[in-house]
Amino acid sequence: MVMQASAEEAAQFAVWLRDSFVPSPDLVHFTSELALDAGVDTYGIIPPHGSTDEIARTLQQHIESTERR
């Protein structure tokens, strides 16, 4: 769990976790406190490939779409 992190900071952690620790990249899921507070109980999957910037964009899109609810 990453707390109090920007999308960029969380993406750095996700890339490390995906590339160095988790045996299968599709096992790295994410959500946000914002989503949970809004009653969203689905999780996103960190892309199995892609740079930190690409993953940060995925996380930022999650935040922006959750804010619009």
Side-chain angles (χ1 to χ4, degrees), residues 14-44:
V15 168
W16 169 81
L17 189 64
R18 179 196 68 190
D19 294 346
S20 301
F21 190 70
V22 178
S24 179
D26 62 342
L27 294 177
V28 183
H29 299 147
F30 70 91
T31 191
S32 65
E33 185 175 356
L34 183 64
L36 295 173
D37 287 347
V40 178
D41 60 358
T42 57
Y43 293 88

Side-chain angles (χ1 to χ4, degrees), residues 28-64:
V28 183
H29 299 147
F30 70 91
T31 191
S32 65
E33 185 175 356
L34 183 64
L36 295 173
D37 287 347
V40 178
D41 60 358
T42 57
Y43 293 88
I45 297 175
I46 296 295
H49 307 285
S51 68
T52 302
D53 289 338
E54 292 168 322
I55 293 173
R57 280 193 295 276
T58 298
L59 297 173
Q60 188 61 43
Q61 288 170 351
H62 161 80
I63 292 166
E64 290 169 2

